Amino acid sequence: MPAGRLRVLPESLEAQSTRLRRLRGDELQSAIADLRTLSQRLDAAWSGEARAAFGDGFSSWLTRVERRGHDLERLAGFLSATAAECRALEADLVDGASVVPERPHNNDATRAQTSAGGAGGLVGTAGPLFGLGGGINARAGGTFSPIALTGNPLEDLWNWLMSLFGAAPQPQSTPTPTAMSPLTVGVTPGSTPDPYPWAPTDSGGASPVVCTADPSTTPANLQPYLINAACTDLVGQLEPDQAALLIQQVNSGQTILTPLYVNGFWVLQATDTLTGKTSILATAQDEDGSAVGNDGGAASPGGGGSGPTGAQDPAEAARLIQKVQDNGAKISPERVTWIRELDDGRIVWLEQGNDRSGLEHIVASHGDQFQTKGVPPADIPAILADAIESEPVLVFDSGEAIYSVSYGGNRFHVLIAVGDNGYIVTAHPISLP
Amino acid sequence: MAKQIKLMAEYTADVPLWWADGEQVGFVNPVTLGLSDQLVGQLRAWNLRYRALLNRQDPASTPDMAVDDQRQFEAEGRRLAQDLATFLGSTCKIQYFSQVERRLLEF
């Protein structure tokens, strides 16, 4: 097995689940009971304020330990559920491998275009994510089934991508999530990100993904769809030789190919299983330029007209990233959500970041405050892009500035802190006196 | 209805108290809460430890706190949240954003 690959068996998951339940049910409960007994004995040996203070503190600590026990129980439940899903998926795969599936979509026209090389040309293997407006909403991945190979690598790739999203009949308006749905992770546009996606009781993390020939016409349906045209656009950006090599690498386990849905954009990502390095092979926006996952509804709530998008010309983004790099500043192109050149010549960008800075930090720490202003997490990047391009209301020497922004008809102020290199550290709504 | 206030360290904050009632946003002016100078000073000092971590030249490379420092920072944050809850009593609900657990805790 190549380094960097992780193989998890359902049996292992269940064994770990049992171990966690035992840890919680036996060892932890027993330890807590022992500690309570010791505490009671200690109570009898002294008195006064110190005893009371210690008693309160110790009791509070024990309560927190018990809560960790609940966490263990939840984790155990999650592992059991995942094991069951793995088994079900394996059964589906076995069933699926025994027959050659019919093409689920009428894709003759788009297939012809793809086979001819498409219109996009080769994008390259290290391009940044441009104008994505937020975090990853959905993903799926896997390996090729040799039985499905047609001999045309572009067509094979097209078929494989579409098959990841299910072989359901073409839906009319509200597609039904397929068997692949439980595999998807991420944040549904308009929902609050789940800080504990592993926890089975927090259902906000899953985002069903289905395949369809047309975007949904149901505003309430938040599922992202890989439509024929978007798939063609993705595949059309690859050369046949490159597609053939990819298929070979995927089948040999050297590469994991993953289509990601990122707030209205489809991104074809390759991961080197040996080094873990990822690269972006192609990006595609929906035909109408809207976020299909939102069906256009969440991006402009109640405001009439178009809402913020944060979208950006990829060539312009690449130019700015190159400029930042030429200036010697550190930037992670594959993690850039958007990048802007301001009137004063400064280049400012928003990266996915982590729990200490960047988009992840902003959503985790201030998502609730943006929500108070009616802004869902998925639209925070676009709000910040709009703000940074406007004239600030107040500027501080510390690199912080306050901007006036509008969303859904509401106007409010946002404070944005930018590092010396142009990286956005944090941002949040603020009330001015 | 009791006000809801969140204690959460942040680079942009002086006194790291935030509205969390779903109506107001941004910083809470500690003066309006009638907090003692001592408690305000402790809140400010606690947040300064967080702010001091930031690498302004390259924020993405801001380091994690050392384990011992993190533990102490967390304990101090919880103590401050408890002190706030005790001082404000039933007029306010206090939430604490734990950097360790990455979630809100009620006090």
Side-chain angles (χ1 to χ4, degrees):
Chain A
M1 184 170 62
R5 293 189 75 189
L6 185 64
R7 182 169 165 77
V8 178
L9 299 171
E11 292 78 12
S12 305
L13 294 173
E14 284 168 345
Q16 291 301 322
S17 173
T18 303
R19 193 175 75 82
L20 288 177
R21 286 206 164 95
R22 191 182 305 122
L23 183 64
R24 191 254 170 143
D26 298 342
E27 298 177 31
L28 190 62
Q29 294 296 346
S30 172
I32 290 173
D34 289 347
L35 287 170
R36 288 201 190 285
T37 303
L38 288 172
S39 176
Q40 286 165 0
R41 286 183 192 164
L42 190 61
D43 278 350
W46 61 333
S47 61
E49 290 183 6
R51 187 189 102 166
F54 175 81
D56 289 346
F58 193 67
S59 175
S60 170
W61 181 81
L62 280 177
T63 301
R64 289 202 295 274
V65 171
E66 284 180 322
R67 285 182 193 155
R68 297 293 78 76
H70 296 320
D71 289 345
L72 290 176
E73 181 65 32
R74 293 172 71 196
L75 189 52
F78 171 69
L79 291 175
S80 293
T82 304
E85 285 180 7
C86 276
R87 286 211 165 88
L89 182 60
E90 280 181 351
D92 286 347
L93 289 173
V94 168
D95 290 345
S98 62
V99 294
V100 179
E102 292 182 10
R103 187 189 307 282
H105 309 283
N106 177 14
N107 65 323
D108 288 344
T110 53
R111 185 156 44 99
Q113 182 188 349
T114 302
S115 301
L122 182 64
V123 158
T125 57
L129 264 56
F130 303 120
L132 299 179
I136 291 168
N137 293 325
R139 72 178 76 201
T143 58
F144 288 91
S145 169
I147 202 167
L149 294 178
T150 66
N152 180 334
L154 291 171
E155 182 170 347
D156 288 340
L157 198 55
W158 195 99
N159 287 336
W160 174 76
L161 281 171
M162 293 304 253
S163 72
L164 282 180
F165 298 94
Q170 180 175 316
Q172 297 303 311
S173 58
T174 307
T176 304
T178 71
M180 294 300 293
S181 298
L183 291 179
T184 61
V185 296
V187 180
T188 302
S191 72
T192 302
D194 179 7
Y196 303 103
W198 45 263
T201 53
D202 295 326
S203 59
S207 175
V209 176
V210 295
C211 173
T212 172
D214 298 299
S216 168
T217 55
T218 308
N221 194 323
L222 297 178
Q223 299 158 349
Y225 317 105
L226 178 60
I227 64 174
N228 287 10
C231 188
T232 299
D233 197 5
L234 281 178
V235 174
Q237 293 172 43
L238 305 176
E239 298 290 350
D241 289 350
Q242 187 186 13
L245 184 61
L246 272 173
I247 292 171
Q248 188 183 344
Q249 290 176 338
V250 169
N251 280 332
S252 67
Q254 295 175 57
T255 298
I256 294 173
L257 204 53
T258 314
L260 308 172
Y261 178 75
V262 195
N263 287 350
F265 285 77
W266 285 99
V267 178
L268 188 58
Q269 176 183 274
T271 304
D272 186 315
T273 56
L274 192 62
T275 64
K277 185 182 176 186
T278 60
S279 54
I280 305 303
L281 303 175
T283 61
Q285 195 175 7
D286 295 296
E287 278 183 312
D288 60 359
S290 66
V292 285
N294 288 344
D295 286 333
S300 54
S306 61
T309 65
Q312 184 172 21
D313 174 27
E316 171 68 359
R319 184 185 71 80
L320 294 176
I321 287 172
Q322 187 64 53
K323 202 168 172 180
V324 170
Q325 290 173 328
D326 291 346
N327 290 337
K330 185 179 163 191
I331 186 170
S332 301
E334 75 282 2
R335 294 178 64 78
V336 171
T337 299
W338 53 252
I339 183 167
R340 297 288 193 273
E341 186 166 29
L342 308 185
D343 290 343
D344 61 8
R346 285 186 304 141
I347 298 177
V348 176
W349 73 93
L350 179 65
E351 281 191 22
Q352 283 296 307
N354 50 43
D355 58 10
R356 296 181 303 283
S357 66
L359 182 58
E360 280 185 27
H361 169 79
I362 293 167
V363 171
S365 300
H366 303 293
D368 57 341
Q369 294 170 2
F370 277 102
Q371 200 80 57
T372 295
K373 292 298 180 184
V375 182
D379 282 352
I380 290 175
I383 283 287
L384 299 182
D386 283 355
I388 208 80
E389 289 187 307
S390 66
E391 195 68 30
V393 176
L394 275 173
V395 179
F396 304 94
D397 291 339
S398 57
E400 298 164 10
I402 295 175
Y403 302 86
S404 177
V405 295
S406 179
Y407 185 89
N410 294 324
R411 185 158 284 282
F412 58 98
H413 292 99
V414 175
L415 189 154
I416 302 178
V418 181
D420 294 348
N421 60 355
Y423 172 104
I424 290 186
V425 178
T426 188
H428 53 81
I430 188 171
S431 296
L432 293 181
Chain B
M1 198 172 95
K3 297 173 188 170
Q4 199 147 320
I5 290 172
K6 178 166 67 174
L7 171 61
M8 177 177 71
E10 177 58 294
Y11 308 113
T12 55
D14 176 33
V15 178
L17 297 177
W18 306 79
W19 291 114
D21 54 12
E23 293 178 4
Q24 302 173 83
V25 294
F27 306 119
V28 178
N29 183 346
V31 173
T32 63
L33 300 177
L35 301 182
S36 69
D37 289 346
Q38 184 186 11
L39 184 51
V40 171
Q42 290 172 351
L43 289 164
R44 189 175 278 129
W46 178 74
N47 194 57
L48 263 179
R49 290 175 61 187
Y50 183 82
R51 293 173 61 177
L53 281 176
L54 179 64
N55 178 348
R56 289 196 179 277
Q57 284 73 43
D58 180 10
S61 299
T62 295
D64 283 325
M65 275 188 188
V67 174
D68 283 350
D69 289 348
Q70 177 79 285
R71 194 177 298 127
Q72 194 185 18
F73 184 79
E74 177 75 2
E76 176 72 356
R78 291 179 185 228
R79 184 190 69 76
L80 288 168
Q82 185 59 61
D83 285 357
L84 280 168
T86 302
F87 180 84
L88 296 170
S90 59
T91 60
C92 278
K93 285 185 176 176
I94 300 297
Q95 298 177 330
Y96 169 67
F97 185 78
S98 166
Q99 300 288 339
V100 174
E101 299 188 29
R102 306 300 304 165
R103 67 188 179 101
L104 285 172
L105 307 174
E106 304 280 349
F107 278 81

